[in-house]
C-alpha cells in the first residue's frame, strides 16, 4: 500500500472507531455540528468558572460555580454538597396547600454568604423562614443527558399519568405544574418546566448570579440586601454567557449504558419482573427539536418524570402541586456515577435506596425484597450499568 | 422568562419616565395567585424562573374587574392557585394591575406556553 493510501486507511479506521465510540461522561451528544461543538466548549468554560463577589457571586449562595457541585466524575456530574430547601405545607387551609415561601427568599435557603453580607448582617447563611413546616436536604443531581429530557414532549409524559390508578397497579403518577400552569419536569419535585429555566434559576438560587432572565438578587428572608453588599452590576452574567451555559448543559450526552454481563442481564429481567418500570420507564422518546442530535431520539432515562407518593418516611417539603411525600421518579441514567442515593443521600447503597421506597413503590420494593439474594444482587448489578 | 427582568425594569424606570412625562411603564406576567385581599384590593402572584421564585404584589383599582373566558368577575372570585395573566404598571405606591385574566387552575394546568 502506498504511504498516502495507508494514511487514508488509518484515518478512516480512526474515524470509524471515533464514530462508534460510546460517549463518555462529560462528552457532548454525538452528531453535533462543528458550531454546536464550539458552543458546547464555550459553555463548559462558563460552567467551570469560579465566581467571586466582584464577578457576581452571592451575596447569598450555595456554591461559587456550577462545577463546585456538579463535579464528579466530570462537569455535569454529581457532588457531595447537600443543600437546604424549605417550604410550608398547610393542607385543608384556605389557600394553596403549599407555600414555597417565595415571599421570604425560599424555597432554597442558601448556606453561604459573602464577606460583605456577613459584615452587614452578621449571618453565615440565609436564616430559614420561621413559617417553614419542613426543611429538606437536597443532593446534586447528575445532569448529563438533561437536554434529551427537555426535548421529551409533554404528551409523552402525560401518557404515563394515571392519577386515579385506573389500571389498578398501585401506581398513580401525576404531573407537577409550574405557577403559570406549564407541566414541570426538572428538580426532585418536577416543578421546573424547561432546562433553560432550570439553569437560569440555578444561577440565581445556587450562586446568587443575576442574568437577563433573573436580574434581581435573592432577598434575605424577603428583606432587600443591605446597601453595599452586592458590588457587581446586574445582570452579572450576560445573555451570551447564559446562552453558552445553557448550550453546554443541553448538549451533554447521557452516560452510555455499560455492556451487560450475564448477571446484569438477569438483573434487568428482575428489574422488569418486580415492577420497577412502572415508574422508572426505561426509555422516553424526544419530539421535534431545532437541534438534530436531540430530535426524535430515544433516551434511556428510566423515569416517567411524574410525581409519585413515596410514603411518609421520605416525606419532606411540598413544591407546586407536589405534597411532601410526592417525588418525581428519579432518572436512573447515570446512577452508576453516584455513591449516595435518594434526594437527600440517606441511602448509602442502591439496595438501601430500594428498601427505602414506600407508598406507590411498596409493591415493587416488597417483590425486590422477596427475591433470592442472587437476583437482588443481579438487579443492583444491572443498575450499576446505567 | 423575561418577566422578572421587566418587573425590575419597571421598578427602576419611573424617575426617568416621570421626568419625560411618558406613560408609566407596564408589563405583564403569568403566575399563580398566592393571596387575595378584596378589602385592601391587593393580589399577590407567585412567579419566577426555575427555583428562583418571586412574589409580585399588585394593587387592584376598584374599577378593575377580573376577566375569565370573556366574563367579568369580582375580585372575590379569585382564589389561591388560580393561574392569572396580569398586565400592570408602576405607580409611586407600587405595582398596579391594569388587567387580570383568570386562565386556569394550577391543578389543571393551562397549556405549555405562557
Amino acid at each position: 500500500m502506498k504511504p498516502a493510501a495507508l494514511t487514508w486507511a488509518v484515518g478512516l479506521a480512526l474515524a470509524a472507531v471515533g464514530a462508534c465510540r460510546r460517549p463518555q461522561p462529560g462528552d457532548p451528544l454525538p452528531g453535533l455540528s462543528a458550531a454546536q461543538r464550539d458552543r458546547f466548549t464555550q459553555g463548559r468554560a462558563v460552567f467551570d468558572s469560579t465566581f467571586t463577589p466582584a464577578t457576581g457571586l452571592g451575596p447569598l449562595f450555595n456554591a461559587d460555580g456550577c462545577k463546585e457541585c456538579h463535579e464528579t466524575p466530570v462537569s455535569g456530574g454529581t457532588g457531595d454538597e447537600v443543600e437546604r430547601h424549605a417550604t410550608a405545607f398547610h393542607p385543608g387551609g384556605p389557600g394553596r396547600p403549599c407555600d414555597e415561601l417565595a415571599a421570604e427568599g425560599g424555597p432554597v435557603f442558601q448556606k453561604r454568604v459573602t464577606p460583605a453580607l456577613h459584615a452587614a448582617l452578621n449571618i453565615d447563611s440565609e436564616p430559614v423562614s420561621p413559617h417553614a413546616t419542613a426543611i429538606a436536604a437536597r443532593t446534586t443531581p447528575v445532569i448529563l443527558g438533561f437536554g434529551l429530557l427537555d426535548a421529551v414532549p409533554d404528551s409523552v409524559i402525560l401518557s404515563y399519568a394515571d392519577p386515579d390508578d385506573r389500571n389498578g397497579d398501585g401506581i398513580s403518577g401525576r404531573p407537577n405544574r409550574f405557577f403559570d400552569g406549564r407541566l414541570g419536569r426538572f428538580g426532585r419535585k418536577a416543578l421546573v418546566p424547561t432546562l433553560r429555566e432550570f439553569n437560569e434559576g440555578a444561577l440565581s438560587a445556587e450562586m446568587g448570579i443575576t442574568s437577563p432572565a433573573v436580574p434581581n438578587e435573592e432577598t434575605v428572608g424577603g428583606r432587600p440586601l443591605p446597601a453595599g453588599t452586592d458590588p457587581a452590576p446586574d445582570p452579572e452574567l450576560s445573555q451570551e454567557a447564559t446562552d453558552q451555559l445553557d448550550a453546554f448543559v443541553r448538549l451533554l450526552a447521557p452516560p452510555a449504558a455499560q455492556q451487560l454481563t450475564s448477571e446484569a442481564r438477569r438483573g434487568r429481567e428482575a428489574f422488569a419482573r418486580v415492577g420497577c418500570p412502572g415508574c422508572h420507564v426505561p426509555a422516553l422518546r424526544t419530539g421535534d427539536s431545532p437541534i438534530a442530535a436531540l430530535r426524535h431520539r430515544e433516551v434511556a432515562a428510566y423515569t416517567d418524570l411524574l410525581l409519585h407518593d413515596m410514603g411518609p418516611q421520605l416525606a419532606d417539603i411540598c413544591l407546586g402541586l407536589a405534597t411532601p411525600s410526592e417525588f418525581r421518579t428519579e432518572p436512573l441514567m447515570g446512577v452508576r456515577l453516584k455513591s449516595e442515593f435518594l434526594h437527600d443521600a440517606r441511602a448509602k447503597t442502591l439496595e438501601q435506596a430500594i428498601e427505602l421506597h414506600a407508598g406507590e413503590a411498596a409493591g415493587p420494593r416488597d417483590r425486590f425484597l422477596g427475591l433470592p439474594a442472587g437476583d437482588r444482587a443481579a438487579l443492583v448489578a444491572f443498575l450499576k450499568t446505567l | 422568562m423575561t418577566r422578572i427582568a421587566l418587573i425590575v425594569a419597571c421598578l427602576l424606570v419611573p424617575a426617568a419616565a416621570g421626568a419625560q412625562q411618558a406613560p408609566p411603564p407596564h408589563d405583564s406576567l403569568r403566575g399563580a395567585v398566592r393571596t387575595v385581599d378584596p378589602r385592601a384590593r391587593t393580589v399577590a402572584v407567585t412567579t419566577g424562573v426555575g427555583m428562583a421564585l418571586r412574589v409580585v404584589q399588585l394593587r387592584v383599582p376598584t374599577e378593575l374587574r377580573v376577566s375569565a373566558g370573556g366574563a367579568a368577575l369580582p375580585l372575590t372570585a379569585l382564589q389561591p392557585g388560580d393561574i392569572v395573566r396580569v398586565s400592570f404598571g408602576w405607580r409611586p405606591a407600587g405595582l398596579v394591575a391594569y388587567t387580570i385574566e383568570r386562565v386556569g387552575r394550577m391543578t389543571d394546568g393551562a397549556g405549555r406556553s405562557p
Side-chain angles (χ1 to χ4, degrees):
Chain A
M1 194 179 278
K2 291 181 179 175
L6 183 63
T7 305
W8 272 103
V10 170
L12 281 171
L14 286 173
V17 168
C20 297
R21 174 181 166 270
R22 288 159 169 261
Q24 299 299 303
D27 280 357
L29 289 163
L32 297 183
S33 68
Q36 288 166 338
R37 278 199 305 276
D38 285 350
R39 204 83 178 135
F40 176 86
T41 304
Q42 292 160 352
R44 173 149 49 199
V46 180
F47 192 94
D48 290 352
S49 299
T50 299
F51 294 94
T52 65
T55 58
L57 180 68
L60 294 159
F61 65 101
N62 283 323
D64 61 15
C66 308
K67 197 180 177 183
E68 185 181 351
C69 296
H70 296 281
E71 61 180 339
T72 305
V74 292
S75 296
T78 185
D80 56 7
E81 287 79 4
V82 178
E83 292 187 3
R84 195 179 46 166
H85 295 194
T87 61
F89 187 59
H90 298 292
R96 277 183 55 231
C98 188
D99 179 355
E100 291 78 10
L101 304 174
E104 300 172 69
V108 180
F109 286 85
Q110 291 81 7
K111 294 173 89 170
R112 295 160 72 182
V113 303
T114 56
L117 190 61
H118 174 80
L121 297 180
N122 195 28
I123 56 172
D124 295 313
S125 63
E126 184 181 22
V128 173
S129 163
H131 301 118
T133 58
I135 300 174
R138 286 289 179 270
T139 56
T140 305
V142 175
I143 58 174
L144 309 175
F146 270 27
L148 288 160
L149 293 185
D150 187 67
V152 174
D154 286 3
S155 57
V156 170
I157 300 169
L158 292 172
S159 72
Y160 292 105
D162 182 18
D164 302 318
D165 191 21
R166 291 197 175 165
N167 65 4
D169 65 354
I171 295 170
S172 52
R174 71 178 186 126
N176 201 353
R177 295 205 176 263
F178 199 65
F179 304 96
D180 56 11
R182 289 175 301 152
L183 184 74
R185 64 180 71 191
F186 292 105
R188 262 36 187 278
K189 299 262 179 178
L191 179 70
V192 182
T194 67
L195 185 58
R196 175 127 206 142
E197 289 160 276
F198 187 66
N199 296 335
E200 290 170 336
L203 281 169
S204 171
E206 308 298 351
M207 291 165 273
I209 303 288
T210 57
S211 65
V214 191
N216 51 336
E217 291 284 359
E218 295 277 323
T219 60
V220 184
R223 296 185 309 280
L225 296 170
T229 58
D230 179 31
D234 298 319
E236 293 155 344
L237 199 65
S238 69
Q239 187 66 59
E240 173 66 3
T242 308
D243 291 346
Q244 290 169 348
L245 174 70
D246 182 75
F248 171 68
V249 176
R250 188 173 302 279
L251 300 177
L252 274 167
Q258 294 181 326
Q259 210 96 47
L260 293 183
T261 62
S262 60
E263 183 191 33
R265 260 195 297 279
R266 269 196 304 124
R268 184 174 60 184
E269 288 160 15
F271 180 85
R273 202 164 60 243
V274 302
C276 306
C279 301
H280 292 285
V281 174
L284 299 173
R285 193 159 180 81
T286 67
D288 202 5
S289 168
I291 299 168
L294 296 172
R295 191 184 308 145
H296 303 304
R297 305 284 163 162
E298 199 151 273
V299 50
Y302 289 87
T303 177
D304 57 7
L305 298 173
L306 293 170
L307 297 174
H308 295 274
D309 189 329
M310 295 298 288
Q313 289 227 321
L314 293 184
D316 51 27
I317 61 168
C318 61
L319 204 61
L321 302 180
T323 62
S325 62
E326 286 181 312
F327 290 86
R328 180 205 59 179
T329 306
E330 184 68 0
L332 297 179
M333 64 178 177
V335 74
R336 72 171 185 271
L337 305 176
K338 299 188 74 100
S339 55
E340 296 177 315
F341 307 94
L342 297 179
H343 51 279
D344 56 3
R346 73 174 70 184
K348 304 306 173 195
T349 66
L350 282 163
E351 192 149 3
Q352 268 180 17
I354 299 169
E355 288 167 9
L356 287 165
H357 280 50
E360 293 176 39
R365 176 205 61 199
D366 291 345
R367 288 190 285 278
F368 170 78
L369 293 174
L371 291 172
D375 285 358
R376 285 204 307 273
L379 196 152
V380 170
F382 164 64
L383 295 176
K384 287 180 176 173
T385 68
L386 299 179
Chain B
M1 251 181 299
T2 57
R3 296 295 181 245
I4 291 180
L6 294 168
I7 291 165
V8 171
C10 286
L11 297 174
L12 298 176
V13 164
Q20 296 169 17
Q21 295 299 305
H26 64 278
D27 191 26
S28 63
L29 65 79
R30 183 158 134 162
V33 172
R34 180 171 184 271
T35 56
V36 185
D37 185 340
R39 284 190 4 176
R41 301 223 31 109
T42 59
V43 175
V45 180
T46 303
T47 181
V49 176
M51 290 294 279
L53 305 183
R54 306 287 189 266
V55 171
V56 176
Q57 189 81 25
L58 298 152
R59 287 196 304 112
V60 182
T62 48
E63 66 276 14
L64 180 66
R65 290 287 175 273
V66 177
S67 69
L73 304 171
L75 187 58
T76 51
L78 275 187
Q79 299 292 319
D82 282 345
I83 300 167
V84 290
R85 187 158 40 217
V86 183
S87 67
F88 58 89
W90 173 262
R91 293 286 189 277
L95 298 175
V96 176
Y98 296 156
T99 63
I100 301 177
E101 181 187 6
R102 189 174 70 185
V103 296
R105 292 277 304 163
M106 244 183 105
T107 43
D108 304 327
R112 176 148 179 147
S113 301

Short mmCIF file of all heavy atoms in Angstrom, two decimals, chain A residues 204-254:
data_model
loop_
_atom_site.label_atom_id
_atom_site.label_comp_id
_atom_site.label_asym_id
_atom_site.label_seq_id
_atom_site.Cartn_x
_atom_site.Cartn_y
_atom_site.Cartn_z
N SER A 204 -29.29 31.97 39.88
CA SER A 204 -29.74 32.87 40.94
C SER A 204 -29.79 32.17 42.29
O SER A 204 -29.21 32.65 43.27
CB SER A 204 -31.13 33.41 40.58
OG SER A 204 -31.69 34.11 41.67
N ALA A 205 -30.47 31.04 42.35
CA ALA A 205 -30.74 30.42 43.65
C ALA A 205 -29.51 29.73 44.23
O ALA A 205 -29.38 29.63 45.45
CB ALA A 205 -31.88 29.42 43.52
N GLU A 206 -28.62 29.24 43.37
CA GLU A 206 -27.46 28.50 43.88
C GLU A 206 -26.21 29.36 44.02
O GLU A 206 -25.38 29.10 44.88
CB GLU A 206 -27.13 27.31 42.96
CG GLU A 206 -28.30 26.40 42.65
CD GLU A 206 -28.89 25.72 43.88
OE1 GLU A 206 -28.29 25.81 44.96
OE2 GLU A 206 -29.96 25.12 43.76
N MET A 207 -26.06 30.32 43.11
CA MET A 207 -24.81 31.09 43.12
C MET A 207 -25.02 32.58 43.36
O MET A 207 -24.04 33.33 43.49
CB MET A 207 -24.08 30.87 41.79
CG MET A 207 -23.54 29.47 41.65
SD MET A 207 -23.07 29.06 39.96
CE MET A 207 -24.61 28.49 39.30
N GLY A 208 -26.27 33.02 43.35
CA GLY A 208 -26.52 34.45 43.51
C GLY A 208 -26.04 35.24 42.30
O GLY A 208 -25.68 36.41 42.42
N ILE A 209 -26.04 34.59 41.14
CA ILE A 209 -25.60 35.26 39.90
C ILE A 209 -26.85 35.74 39.17
O ILE A 209 -27.71 34.93 38.80
CB ILE A 209 -24.83 34.28 38.98
CG1 ILE A 209 -23.62 33.69 39.70
CG2 ILE A 209 -24.43 34.97 37.67
CD1 ILE A 209 -22.50 34.63 39.92
N THR A 210 -26.96 37.03 38.95
CA THR A 210 -28.10 37.53 38.19
C THR A 210 -27.81 37.39 36.69
O THR A 210 -26.66 37.38 36.26
CB THR A 210 -28.39 39.00 38.52
OG1 THR A 210 -27.20 39.78 38.27
CG2 THR A 210 -28.80 39.16 39.98
N SER A 211 -28.89 37.24 35.94
CA SER A 211 -28.80 37.08 34.48
C SER A 211 -29.93 37.91 33.88
O SER A 211 -30.80 38.39 34.62
CB SER A 211 -28.97 35.60 34.14
OG SER A 211 -30.27 35.16 34.48
N PRO A 212 -29.96 38.05 32.56
CA PRO A 212 -31.06 38.82 31.99
C PRO A 212 -32.44 38.27 32.37
O PRO A 212 -33.39 39.04 32.52
CB PRO A 212 -30.80 38.72 30.48
CG PRO A 212 -29.31 38.61 30.39
CD PRO A 212 -28.92 37.74 31.57
N ALA A 213 -32.57 36.97 32.56
CA ALA A 213 -33.88 36.42 32.93
C ALA A 213 -34.20 36.63 34.41
O ALA A 213 -35.37 36.73 34.77
CB ALA A 213 -33.91 34.92 32.62
N VAL A 214 -33.18 36.70 35.23
CA VAL A 214 -33.37 36.92 36.67
C VAL A 214 -32.37 37.98 37.12
O VAL A 214 -31.34 37.68 37.71
CB VAL A 214 -33.15 35.62 37.49
CG1 VAL A 214 -33.62 35.82 38.94
CG2 VAL A 214 -33.87 34.44 36.88
N PRO A 215 -32.66 39.25 36.83
CA PRO A 215 -31.66 40.29 37.11
C PRO A 215 -31.69 40.84 38.52
O PRO A 215 -30.84 41.64 38.88
CB PRO A 215 -32.04 41.39 36.11
CG PRO A 215 -33.51 41.24 35.96
CD PRO A 215 -33.83 39.79 36.13
N ASN A 216 -32.66 40.40 39.32
CA ASN A 216 -32.70 40.90 40.70
C ASN A 216 -32.20 39.83 41.66
O ASN A 216 -32.51 38.65 41.52
CB ASN A 216 -34.10 41.38 41.09
CG ASN A 216 -35.17 40.35 40.80
OD1 ASN A 216 -34.99 39.49 39.94
ND2 ASN A 216 -36.28 40.43 41.49
N GLU A 217 -31.44 40.26 42.64
CA GLU A 217 -30.82 39.33 43.58
C GLU A 217 -31.86 38.67 44.48
O GLU A 217 -32.95 39.19 44.69
CB GLU A 217 -29.81 40.08 44.47
CG GLU A 217 -28.58 40.56 43.75
CD GLU A 217 -27.58 39.43 43.45
OE1 GLU A 217 -27.85 38.28 43.82
OE2 GLU A 217 -26.55 39.74 42.82
N GLU A 218 -31.46 37.54 45.03
CA GLU A 218 -32.23 36.90 46.08
C GLU A 218 -32.33 37.87 47.27
O GLU A 218 -31.43 38.69 47.48
CB GLU A 218 -31.50 35.64 46.55
CG GLU A 218 -31.40 34.55 45.51
CD GLU A 218 -32.66 33.70 45.45
OE1 GLU A 218 -33.25 33.45 46.50
OE2 GLU A 218 -33.04 33.30 44.34
N THR A 219 -33.40 37.74 48.01
CA THR A 219 -33.53 38.55 49.22
C THR A 219 -33.07 37.73 50.42
O THR A 219 -32.85 36.53 50.32
CB THR A 219 -35.00 38.94 49.45
OG1 THR A 219 -35.77 37.73 49.60
CG2 THR A 219 -35.54 39.76 48.28
N VAL A 220 -32.92 38.41 51.54
CA VAL A 220 -32.58 37.68 52.78
C VAL A 220 -33.88 37.53 53.56
O VAL A 220 -34.34 38.46 54.21
CB VAL A 220 -31.54 38.47 53.62
CG1 VAL A 220 -31.14 37.66 54.85
CG2 VAL A 220 -30.32 38.79 52.77
N GLY A 221 -34.47 36.38 53.42
CA GLY A 221 -35.75 36.15 54.10
C GLY A 221 -36.83 37.13 53.67
O GLY A 221 -37.71 37.48 54.45
N GLY A 222 -36.75 37.61 52.43
CA GLY A 222 -37.75 38.56 51.92
C GLY A 222 -37.33 40.01 52.09
O GLY A 222 -38.00 40.90 51.56
N ARG A 223 -36.26 40.25 52.83
CA ARG A 223 -35.81 41.63 53.02
C ARG A 223 -34.73 41.96 51.99
O ARG A 223 -33.89 41.11 51.66
CB ARG A 223 -35.25 41.83 54.43
CG ARG A 223 -36.29 41.63 55.53
CD ARG A 223 -35.72 41.96 56.91
NE ARG A 223 -34.46 41.28 57.18
CZ ARG A 223 -34.37 40.01 57.58
NH1 ARG A 223 -35.47 39.28 57.73
NH2 ARG A 223 -33.19 39.47 57.82
N PRO A 224 -34.74 43.19 51.48
CA PRO A 224 -33.73 43.56 50.49
C PRO A 224 -32.32 43.47 51.06
O PRO A 224 -32.13 43.53 52.26
CB PRO A 224 -34.07 45.02 50.14
CG PRO A 224 -35.41 45.27 50.72
CD PRO A 224 -35.64 44.28 51.83
N LEU A 225 -31.36 43.33 50.17
CA LEU A 225 -29.97 43.27 50.60
C LEU A 225 -29.53 44.62 51.16
O LEU A 225 -29.91 45.66 50.63
CB LEU A 225 -29.08 42.93 49.41
CG LEU A 225 -29.30 41.56 48.78
CD1 LEU A 225 -28.53 41.45 47.47
CD2 LEU A 225 -28.88 40.46 49.75
N PRO A 226 -28.73 44.61 52.21
CA PRO A 226 -28.19 45.88 52.72
C PRO A 226 -27.34 46.56 51.64
O PRO A 226 -26.67 45.89 50.85
CB PRO A 226 -27.32 45.45 53.90
CG PRO A 226 -27.78 44.09 54.26
CD PRO A 226 -28.28 43.45 53.00
N ALA A 227 -27.35 47.86 51.65
CA ALA A 227 -26.58 48.62 50.66
C ALA A 227 -25.10 48.24 50.74
O ALA A 227 -24.56 48.02 51.82
CB ALA A 227 -26.76 50.11 50.93
N GLY A 228 -24.52 48.14 49.57
CA GLY A 228 -23.07 47.91 49.51
C GLY A 228 -22.65 46.46 49.58
O GLY A 228 -21.46 46.15 49.57
N THR A 229 -23.62 45.55 49.66
CA THR A 229 -23.24 44.13 49.79
C THR A 229 -23.24 43.41 48.45
O THR A 229 -22.91 42.22 48.40
CB THR A 229 -24.21 43.39 50.74
OG1 THR A 229 -25.55 43.52 50.24
CG2 THR A 229 -24.13 43.96 52.14
N ASP A 230 -23.62 44.11 47.39
CA ASP A 230 -23.70 43.45 46.08
C ASP A 230 -23.00 44.34 45.05
O ASP A 230 -23.65 45.08 44.31
CB ASP A 230 -25.18 43.24 45.71
CG ASP A 230 -25.35 42.59 44.36
OD1 ASP A 230 -24.47 41.81 43.97
OD2 ASP A 230 -26.36 42.87 43.69
N PRO A 231 -21.66 44.27 45.00
CA PRO A 231 -20.92 45.26 44.21
C PRO A 231 -21.03 45.09 42.69
O PRO A 231 -20.87 46.05 41.96
CB PRO A 231 -19.47 45.05 44.67
CG PRO A 231 -19.42 43.64 45.15
CD PRO A 231 -20.77 43.36 45.73
N ALA A 232 -21.29 43.89 42.20
CA ALA A 232 -21.26 43.67 40.75
C ALA A 232 -22.54 44.20 40.11
O ALA A 232 -23.64 43.97 40.62
CB ALA A 232 -21.11 42.18 40.46
N PRO A 233 -22.43 44.89 38.98
CA PRO A 233 -23.63 45.39 38.31
C PRO A 233 -24.45 44.25 37.71
O PRO A 233 -23.89 43.25 37.26
CB PRO A 233 -23.07 46.31 37.21
CG PRO A 233 -21.67 45.86 37.00
CD PRO A 233 -21.19 45.28 38.29
N ASP A 234 -25.78 44.43 37.72
CA ASP A 234 -26.67 43.41 37.15
C ASP A 234 -26.96 43.70 35.68
O ASP A 234 -27.05 44.86 35.30
CB ASP A 234 -27.99 43.40 37.93
CG ASP A 234 -27.78 43.04 39.40
OD1 ASP A 234 -26.97 42.14 39.65
OD2 ASP A 234 -28.43 43.68 40.25
N PRO A 235 -27.15 42.71 34.83
CA PRO A 235 -27.01 41.30 35.15
C PRO A 235 -25.53 40.90 35.26
O PRO A 235 -24.70 41.39 34.50
CB PRO A 235 -27.68 40.59 33.98
CG PRO A 235 -27.53 41.53 32.83
CD PRO A 235 -27.57 42.90 33.42
N GLU A 236 -25.26 40.01 36.20
CA GLU A 236 -23.87 39.64 36.46
C GLU A 236 -23.34 38.63 35.45
O GLU A 236 -22.14 38.44 35.31
CB GLU A 236 -23.77 39.09 37.89
CG GLU A 236 -24.03 40.19 38.91
CD GLU A 236 -24.53 39.70 40.25
OE1 GLU A 236 -24.99 38.53 40.34
OE2 GLU A 236 -24.50 40.49 41.20
N LEU A 237 -24.25 37.96 34.76
CA LEU A 237 -23.86 37.09 33.64
C LEU A 237 -24.61 37.56 32.41
O LEU A 237 -25.83 37.74 32.45
CB LEU A 237 -24.21 35.62 33.96
CG LEU A 237 -23.48 34.57 33.12
CD1 LEU A 237 -21.97 34.58 33.41
CD2 LEU A 237 -24.03 33.18 33.38
N SER A 238 -23.89 37.76 31.32
CA SER A 238 -24.51 38.32 30.11
C SER A 238 -25.43 37.30 29.46
O SER A 238 -25.37 36.09 29.74
CB SER A 238 -23.41 38.72 29.12
OG SER A 238 -22.78 37.54 28.62
N GLN A 239 -26.23 37.79 28.54
CA GLN A 239 -27.11 36.88 27.78
C GLN A 239 -26.27 35.87 27.01
O GLN A 239 -26.60 34.68 26.96
CB GLN A 239 -27.99 37.69 26.82
CG GLN A 239 -29.04 36.84 26.10
CD GLN A 239 -30.08 36.31 27.09
OE1 GLN A 239 -30.75 37.09 27.76
NE2 GLN A 239 -30.19 35.00 27.19
N GLU A 240 -25.18 36.34 26.42
CA GLU A 240 -24.33 35.45 25.63
C GLU A 240 -23.76 34.33 26.49
O GLU A 240 -23.81 33.15 26.12
CB GLU A 240 -23.20 36.28 24.99
CG GLU A 240 -22.13 35.48 24.26
CD GLU A 240 -22.65 34.77 23.02
OE1 GLU A 240 -23.84 34.92 22.67
OE2 GLU A 240 -21.85 34.03 22.40
N ALA A 241 -23.25 34.69 27.66
CA ALA A 241 -22.68 33.67 28.55
C ALA A 241 -23.76 32.73 29.07
O ALA A 241 -23.55 31.52 29.21
CB ALA A 241 -21.94 34.34 29.71
N THR A 242 -24.95 33.28 29.34
CA THR A 242 -26.06 32.43 29.80
C THR A 242 -26.45 31.44 28.70
O THR A 242 -26.71 30.27 28.97
CB THR A 242 -27.28 33.30 30.18
OG1 THR A 242 -26.86 34.31 31.09
CG2 THR A 242 -28.37 32.48 30.82
N ASP A 243 -26.47 31.92 27.46
CA ASP A 243 -26.80 31.04 26.33
C ASP A 243 -25.75 29.94 26.17
O ASP A 243 -26.07 28.80 25.86
CB ASP A 243 -26.91 31.86 25.04
CG ASP A 243 -28.13 32.78 25.03
OD1 ASP A 243 -29.01 32.60 25.89
OD2 ASP A 243 -28.17 33.69 24.18
N GLN A 244 -24.49 30.31 26.34
CA GLN A 244 -23.42 29.31 26.23
C GLN A 244 -23.55 28.25 27.32
O GLN A 244 -23.43 27.05 27.05
CB GLN A 244 -22.05 30.01 26.33
CG GLN A 244 -21.72 30.86 25.12
CD GLN A 244 -20.50 31.74 25.36
OE1 GLN A 244 -20.03 31.87 26.47
NE2 GLN A 244 -20.01 32.35 24.29
N LEU A 245 -23.83 28.72 28.52
CA LEU A 245 -24.01 27.78 29.64
C LEU A 245 -25.16 26.82 29.34
O LEU A 245 -25.05 25.60 29.54
CB LEU A 245 -24.30 28.56 30.92
CG LEU A 245 -24.64 27.73 32.16
CD1 LEU A 245 -23.42 26.99 32.64
CD2 LEU A 245 -25.18 28.63 33.27
N ASP A 246 -26.24 27.38 28.84
CA ASP A 246 -27.41 26.55 28.52
C ASP A 246 -27.05 25.53 27.44
O ASP A 246 -27.44 24.36 27.53
CB ASP A 246 -28.55 27.45 28.04
CG ASP A 246 -29.80 26.65 27.72
OD1 ASP A 246 -30.47 26.22 28.68
OD2 ASP A 246 -30.08 26.42 26.53
N ALA A 247 -26.26 25.95 26.46
CA ALA A 247 -25.88 25.03 25.37
C ALA A 247 -25.05 23.88 25.92
O ALA A 247 -25.24 22.73 25.53
CB ALA A 247 -25.10 25.79 24.30
N PHE A 248 -24.14 24.19 26.83
CA PHE A 248 -23.30 23.13 27.41
C PHE A 248 -24.16 22.08 28.10
O PHE A 248 -24.03 20.88 27.86
CB PHE A 248 -22.28 23.72 28.38
CG PHE A 248 -21.54 22.68 29.17
CD1 PHE A 248 -20.64 21.83 28.54
CD2 PHE A 248 -21.76 22.51 30.53
CE1 PHE A 248 -19.96 20.84 29.26
CE2 PHE A 248 -21.09 21.53 31.25
CZ PHE A 248 -20.19 20.69 30.61
N VAL A 249 -25.04 22.55 28.97
CA VAL A 249 -25.87 21.60 29.74
C VAL A 249 -26.79 20.83 28.79
O VAL A 249 -26.96 19.61 28.90
CB VAL A 249 -26.68 22.35 30.82
CG1 VAL A 249 -27.60 21.39 31.55
CG2 VAL A 249 -25.75 23.04 31.80
N ARG A 250 -27.36 21.53 27.83
CA ARG A 250 -28.32 20.92 26.90
C ARG A 250 -27.65 19.84 26.03
O ARG A 250 -28.29 18.86 25.66
CB ARG A 250 -28.90 22.02 26.01
CG ARG A 250 -30.06 21.60 25.12
CD ARG A 250 -30.64 22.81 24.43
NE ARG A 250 -31.09 23.80 25.40
CZ ARG A 250 -32.25 23.75 26.05
NH1 ARG A 250 -33.09 22.78 25.81
NH2 ARG A 250 -32.57 24.67 26.94
N LEU A 251 -26.40 20.06 25.69
CA LEU A 251 -25.74 19.17 24.73
C LEU A 251 -24.88 18.10 25.40
O LEU A 251 -24.21 17.33 24.71
CB LEU A 251 -24.91 20.01 23.75
CG LEU A 251 -25.71 21.04 22.94
CD1 LEU A 251 -24.78 21.87 22.06
CD2 LEU A 251 -26.78 20.38 22.10
N LEU A 252 -24.89 18.05 26.72
CA LEU A 252 -24.17 16.97 27.42
C LEU A 252 -24.84 15.63 27.10
O LEU A 252 -26.04 15.47 27.28
CB LEU A 252 -24.21 17.20 28.93
CG LEU A 252 -23.15 18.10 29.55
CD1 LEU A 252 -23.54 18.45 30.99
CD2 LEU A 252 -21.78 17.44 29.52
N ALA A 253 -24.05 14.68 26.67
CA ALA A 253 -24.61 13.36 26.36
C ALA A 253 -24.97 12.62 27.65
O ALA A 253 -24.29 12.79 28.66
CB ALA A 253 -23.59 12.54 25.57
N PRO A 254 -26.00 11.81 27.60
CA PRO A 254 -26.25 10.95 28.76
C PRO A 254 -25.14 9.91 28.84
O PRO A 254 -24.57 9.54 27.81
CB PRO A 254 -27.60 10.30 28.44
CG PRO A 254 -27.75 10.39 26.97
CD PRO A 254 -26.96 11.59 26.51
#
